[in-house]
Amino acid sequence: MHPPFGLRSNSVWTYLAFLALGWSVAFAPTAQATESEPATEKAAIERAADFERNRQWVDAIGLYEKALKQWPENPQLKYGLRRTRIQFSVDRRYADKSYTDGLTASSLDESLVFLDDALLKVRKYYVDTISPTAFIAHGTESLYVALTNEKFLAKNVSSASQRSIGAFRAMLRDRYWNRPCGSMEEARMVVTEVARSAYSELRIAPGAIVMEYVFGGCNALDEYSSFLTPGRLDDLYSNIEGEFVGIGIEMKAEAGKGMLLINVLSESPAEEGGAAPGDYIVAIDGINCLNMSTEEAAQHLQGTPDSRVRLDLKNPRTEQIRQTELSRRAVKVKSIPIVRIVDPANGIGYIKMTGFQKNSAAELDAALKDLRSQGMQALIWDLRGNPGGLLTAAVEVLDRFLDDGMIVSTKGRTQDQNWSYTATRGNDWNVPLVILVDGDSASASEIVAGAIHDHGRGVLVGRKTYGKWSVQSILPGRSSTGLRLTTAKFYSPNGNTYGKIGVEPDVQVPASSEQLTAYRGLRNENPEDDQDLAAGMNSLRRQLARR
């Protein structure tokens, strides 16, 4: 494992995140369910198929995932989820200009270099052993599905008939499905054959075919590993750095409604322009976006510093549409957007941390000093909805509360992935502590939860965490691309790892339908209206009373 260096173009970043997407967009659940859950496997499959026919990939993925929890062995649900994830990924790539204008335009020889690089890095760094056969098989499947994707076909297939496309897909299935590849050289030969056949029969440029193998091959890895376009890599770096150029929103497409604002960052152009979480963007510079994908809308929202964009915002409660014009600029992403005293009588402070970035430790120091000046005697540290971030940031913030012993350790396939992090003596914050967690507290948030629990340093309140206990390294590649690979697993001070399990809280609080967990910006509500916060305050009051 390598810590972050100063120059990002030559660096390997160690990153932990549930969802490593840019701050400008987010893939998140809606606040309220719009339909009842399917009662049978057949009903779930039929409804998911309706979503697929309408290219509502996010809704289809969500439904397949829920259905598989109830019927985990159903093969139609399993393949439906895999197929829909591929469609979603293809859509995202073809809404990314750094992909369509750059990578797919590569020649056969140029694009094969990307394939070689991906195969080599997976073999060398990935936490588990993945054969070239498995990698190429998933690439074949990705191409097979992409040949039914509207965006892929619109960009790459200008004259071929549906019959020709169907025949080519049949050929992929018959000749290349799970084709054995004993080496990287054989893998390269298979992809070269497919690319030449696709050009001969369908006139698809070789770069588009090879890139399906590069990106689709990563489906053989875990859900946290992927090949990154230049645009996605830049988004990820902006997330780590805590700064990007834009208007300061997180959003999610809802078919027929537009872009749901999941979060509006404080002190951002969007906040200054009156945008609020829960609003819908229905038009961008006069262009209707009711049925755009998140990525398509993001392309319209992006721009250079000081350029302007006009938004039509709809309030879903009043149905009123208002217009605002915003100027894009550098936006600082705060790790800790909310700092306050929630119980003045008992001196209970509260901080909301939404991510683990390079500046998180400095923000925490400033927040704690502010709360101490207001008479803080105990602290609630809210990690609900926090998807993670930098491993080093998690270690640094924990070091403020632990005086000795192990914080976290990592173990991977290679020696440089095996690290142990211990606390330094002399921390200043030995106050009673509550950590709020939920099912969206992941990765770096779980490092905090695991360490606080194992050391008996505080009380965990809320619901079981997500269960992502793996380390991703960001490996830069050619032409400003990158490869995000799971390179290690991490372990709590007692040697436990909770991947796909999650950390159980000490105090369980049932999820409330009134808590808008989908809106990352709505955590400044009245303490009495927040059941988790109320339970945390009660725990701290009991601790303070025993002193």
Side-chain angles (χ1 to χ4, degrees):
M1 180 186 63
H2 305 273
F5 301 102
L7 296 175
R8 74 185 193 190
S9 59
N10 298 313
S11 65
V12 178
W13 293 84
T14 302
Y15 194 67
L16 307 105
F18 171 30
L19 296 170
L21 304 181
W23 279 95
S24 59
V25 298
F27 173 31
T30 55
Q32 298 90 14
T34 56
E35 298 181 72
S36 60
E37 299 298 322
T40 65
E41 293 170 89
K42 182 180 179 181
I45 291 167
E46 289 176 350
R47 187 183 298 175
D50 286 339
F51 285 139
E52 289 192 66
R53 279 190 286 271
N54 292 315
R55 296 179 60 242
Q56 295 174 241
W57 311 126
V58 172
D59 294 315
I61 289 169
L63 182 53
Y64 278 127
E65 287 177 337
K66 288 180 181 178
L68 279 167
K69 290 179 180 179
Q70 192 168 355
W71 303 289
E73 301 305 318
N74 186 293
Q76 288 179 274
L77 292 172
K78 287 181 179 180
Y79 182 63
L81 177 60
R82 194 163 76 246
R83 177 183 62 236
T84 308
R85 283 176 170 166
I86 293 172
Q87 292 278 16
F88 176 65
S89 296
V90 173
D91 261 18
R92 291 184 70 198
R93 290 200 296 275
Y94 278 88
D96 183 343
K97 289 183 179 179
S98 69
Y99 182 77
T100 57
D101 295 350
L103 299 181
T104 61
S106 303
S107 69
L108 178 59
D109 288 340
E110 290 170 339
S111 56
L112 286 171
V113 174
F114 289 96
L115 178 70
D116 293 340
D117 188 49
L119 285 166
L120 181 62
K121 286 174 177 173
V122 168
R123 185 179 70 180
K124 187 173 182 180
Y125 297 112
Y126 187 63
V127 67
D128 296 317
T129 300
I130 299 293
S131 69
T133 297
F135 193 93
I136 296 304
H138 281 81
T140 300
E141 182 183 42
S142 184
L143 176 58
Y144 181 83
V145 174
L147 285 165
T148 68
N149 182 279
E150 291 181 10
K151 292 184 178 179
F152 179 91
L153 294 174
K155 178 69 176 179
N156 297 303
V157 184
S158 57
S159 58
S161 66
Q162 285 298 318
R163 184 175 181 179
S164 298
I165 295 169
F168 190 83
R169 293 180 76 229
M171 183 271 294
L172 283 177
R173 187 177 60 247
D174 296 340
R175 293 178 53 187
Y176 293 100
W177 215 253
N178 294 320
R179 174 106 165 239
C181 299
S183 66
M184 288 176 53
E185 290 72 22
E186 287 185 38
R188 182 187 237 264
M189 288 175 57
V190 167
V191 175
T192 300
E193 283 181 23
V194 173
R196 286 176 174 163
S197 296
Y199 183 73
S200 173
E201 297 178 31
L202 302 176
R203 284 293 184 264
I204 300 177
I209 298 298
V210 178
M211 286 304 155
E212 283 306 313
Y213 278 89
V214 173
F215 284 81
C218 290
N219 294 336
L221 314 178
D222 66 10
E223 61 192 294
Y224 310 113
S225 300
S226 61
F227 202 87
L228 301 169
T229 67
R232 291 291 170 192
L233 183 61
D234 192 57
D235 283 346
L236 185 53
Y237 282 139
S238 296
N239 203 344
I240 293 170
E241 297 282 355
E243 183 172 349
F244 69 97
V245 172
I247 60 174
I249 61 172
E250 293 180 75
M251 66 186 186
K252 169 188 176 291
E254 289 194 4
K257 295 182 178 181
M259 300 298 121
L260 172 65
L261 297 189
I262 304 298
N263 190 18
V264 176
L265 301 182
S266 62
E267 301 176 14
S268 67
E271 183 187 59
E272 293 165 4
D279 284 346
Y280 285 87
I281 301 175
V282 296
I284 304 168
D285 285 331
I287 301 171
N288 184 307
C289 65
L290 292 177
N291 291 297
M292 284 186 185
S293 69
T294 306
E295 288 70 32
E296 289 169 330
Q299 292 292 328
H300 290 283
L301 289 171
Q302 291 170 356
T304 57
D306 299 322
S307 61
R308 300 187 71 80
V309 61
R310 188 174 73 256
L311 304 181
D312 286 9
L313 297 170
K314 183 176 182 178
N315 184 316
R317 291 173 293 276
T318 65
E319 298 292 317
Q320 292 183 336
I321 296 176
R322 63 192 187 280
Q323 197 171 90
T324 183
E325 188 167 315
L326 310 175
S327 180
R328 301 177 180 93
R329 67 167 186 262
V331 177
K332 293 280 187 181
V333 181
K334 292 183 178 180
S335 296
I336 304 176
I338 303 173
V339 180
R340 58 180 176 150
I341 296 290
V342 290
D343 182 353
N346 291 284
I348 297 176
Y350 170 91
I351 60 173
K352 170 66 178 175
M353 181 176 281
T354 57
F356 292 82
Q357 302 158 190
K358 288 179 67 176
N359 59 343
S360 294
E363 285 190 48
L364 179 63
D365 289 339
L368 292 172
K369 289 177 182 177
D370 179 24
L371 290 171
R372 181 165 61 184
S373 71
Q374 298 181 58
M376 179 182 69
Q377 300 297 314
L379 177 66
I380 294 175
W381 185 357
D382 191 350
L383 296 178
R384 292 173 296 176
N386 186 322
L390 288 173
L391 170 61
T392 49
V395 171
E396 288 172 354
V397 296
L398 272 167
D399 202 27
R400 271 63 177 167
F401 298 98
L402 299 176
D403 201 41
D404 195 15
M406 179 73 68
I407 292 177
V408 67
S409 61
T410 66
K411 297 177 184 177
R413 282 176 61 199
T414 58
Q415 189 62 36
D416 66 350
Q417 300 295 319
N418 301 331
W419 288 79
S420 296
Y421 297 87
T422 56
T424 56
R425 292 186 177 276
N427 78 75
D428 295 328
W429 303 105
N430 191 27
V431 294
L433 184 63
V434 158
I435 309 291
L436 301 185
V437 293
D438 65 8
D440 292 324
S441 303
S443 208
S445 292
E446 295 178 283
I447 288 180
V448 173
I452 294 298
H453 176 270
D454 285 3
H455 282 279
R457 176 62 185 84
V459 178
L460 305 184
V461 173
R463 289 156 298 288
K464 185 171 68 172
T465 63
Y466 181 78
K468 181 192 174 296
W469 281 64
S470 58
V471 179
Q472 283 68 51
S473 295
I474 313 303
L475 308 174
R478 60 184 284 115
S479 302
S480 301
T481 60
L483 186 60
R484 179 177 56 208
L485 281 184
T486 295
T487 52
K489 297 178 182 179
F490 60 83
Y491 297 80
S492 74
N494 288 347
N496 299 313
T497 186
Y498 296 93
K500 300 188 182 300
I501 299 173
V503 181
E504 293 282 356
D506 302 303
V507 178
Q508 290 271 358
V509 181
S512 169
S513 60
E514 296 178 359
Q515 290 176 310
L516 301 180
T517 54
Y519 298 147
R520 285 157 52 85
L522 289 185
R523 284 299 184 190
N524 201 16
E525 60 268 356
N526 187 325
E528 301 304 321
D529 296 332
D530 186 327
Q531 295 179 8
D532 300 335
L533 189 54
M537 288 192 294
N538 287 335
S539 175
L540 289 175
R541 287 165 185 154
R542 289 192 293 270
Q543 292 181 57
L544 291 170
R546 291 195 294 266
R547 283 191 159 191

